[in-house]
Amino acid sequence: MPHGVTVIKCGGSGAIGIAEICADVAKLRAAGERTLLVHGGADEIDRLAAQLGVQAQTTVSPDGRQSRYTSPPMLDAMMLALTGRVKPRLLAALKVAGVPAVGLTGLDAGLVTAVRKQARRAVRDGRPVMVRGDHSGRITAVDPAVLHVLLDAGFTPVISPPAGDCGGAPLNVDADRLAAAVAVALRARRLLLLTAAPGLLRDATDSGSVLARCELPDEALLAYAATGGMQRKLIAADEALRGGVGAVHIADGRVPEPVLAAVGGAGTVLVRSSRRQA
Ligand SMILES: Nc1ncnc2c1ncn2[C@@H]1O[C@H](COP(=O)(O)OP(=O)(O)O)[C@@H](O)[C@H]1O
Ligand SMILES: [Mg+2]
């Protein structure tokens, strides 16, 4: 089917095959598919923060989820690492693959708007606390106009955090959820979350327990199967499917032809539960 949209989110682990992913992007494009890349880069952010002497801080929500606390210097480190290190690597790999690409963040042309998390509940040393001063946000809107201009002209957009608040100031947002929001805004037929795991594992310690397919929302799955980064992917997948994206694939970014393998059904395919379609 020509002229579908595929959004590919590349994981930040060094094991991810950037060159292989970008070579596959060239093949999808040659087949008429409109293709976008989204990236985060937690490892690179942590590395640069350490080099700059910026302390990494995390908070734990009442339901046990860890998140990065984005202080003003960490916001700088995040932007420098994503736009100065991770994105240029992807643009170089795309150039080698013969793909004309344009790097963007959510700040460009009002692409991604978020509302700042003013204060949120957290737990510290077993006691409830309010966390303030965090420069991260929840995505409220995507304006895909600039993406349409680029895609119409044959360019592959490469998108990362930050998003912008209503005044255009940067806010950190989760890259998986950013990818989901972009996929929804473009009515993408699929979102590929390529990561350093073979897919969604029923048991995170058993790499042979990959679930081939599952329907969301699956409350049980959301509640216990996944932790950390994978739990965030399930939330992003749920948002994408609710927003009308046809399928979300969580698949291995470390294998040969990672994109083609994922499209072909390797890893886990998440679809919207038919029971909740009404
Ligand atoms: N049930 C699970 N199935 C697969 N991976 C899981 C699961 N639970 C936790 N994980 C962890 O989540 C990681 C993926 O999330 P993350 O580290 O944020 O990667 P990315 O950089 O791709 O966003 C996996 O590499 C794995 O360590
Ligand atoms: Mg992650």
Side-chain angles (χ1 to χ4, degrees), residues 28 55 73 83 86 163 180:
L28 283 190
Q55 194 198 343
T83 63
V86 181

Side-chain angles (χ1 to χ4, degrees), residues 9 174 176 229 233:
K9 191 267 180 171
D174 178 61
D176 291 304
K233 287 186 202 308

Side-chain angles (χ1 to χ4, degrees), residues 13 56 140 181:
S13 153
T140 52

